[in-house]
Amino acid sequence: QVQLVESGGGLVQPGGSLRLSCSTSINSFSSYDMAWFRQAPGKQRELVAYVTSGGTTITVDSLKGRFTISRDNAKPAVYLQMNGLKPEDTAVYYCNTLGGRFDWGQGTQVTVSS
């Protein structure tokens, strides 16, 4: 059974930074496009960024310049560097394949507040 384990969240002040990590037991991890998603209270889960199997990174337009995704196929793991955090970034953050193929993990809570 594939496990997705997110970590690195926490409480941060506006303007601060966090680096999220996602460790996984996905076989053939390097062949998957991997992504970060987030779900704020009362809202649907939304895509934040993804990295293709070839290493191309895409961040959704509204988060460009602040959020950067990366991957390490050797571990295997996927990361999300978040800078310039805003209160509206408060959410539970999840990783999965871009298509959400595997069971969702518990996510990691990010709270941006002064």
Side-chain angles (χ1 to χ4, degrees):
Q1 182 177 356
V2 169
Q3 285 190 316
L4 298 165
V5 181
E6 300 90 351
S7 62
L11 174 62
V12 62
Q13 292 187 343
S17 297
L18 283 174
R19 185 177 188 247
L20 307 184
S21 300
C22 171
S23 63
T24 172
S25 59
I26 296 175
N27 286 327
S28 301
F29 172 83
S30 61
S31 67
Y32 288 96
D33 296 342
M34 294 299 299
W36 282 96
F37 303 81
R38 69 183 183 184
Q39 187 167 19
K43 295 188 177 182
Q44 289 189 330
R45 187 175 288 148
E46 63 177 2
L47 177 68
V48 170
Y50 66 93
V51 53
T52 69
S53 58
T56 299
T57 60
I58 300 293
T59 301
V60 298
D61 286 347
S62 60
L63 300 175
K64 279 181 180 177
R66 296 196 299 122
F67 287 20
T68 304
I69 190 172
S70 61
R71 68 190 298 160
D72 184 340
N73 290 335
K75 289 197 178 290
V78 61
Y79 307 98
L80 185 68
Q81 179 67 44
M82 306 187 296
N83 300 324
L85 283 162
K86 304 176 180 180
E88 52 263 43
D89 296 319
T90 295
V92 180
Y93 286 71
Y94 303 87
C95 69
N96 209 318
T97 66
L98 183 58
R101 175 170 179 167
F102 298 107
D103 290 343
W104 296 90
Q106 292 189 338
T108 186
Q109 175 71 49
V110 172
T111 303
V112 185
S113 175
S114 56

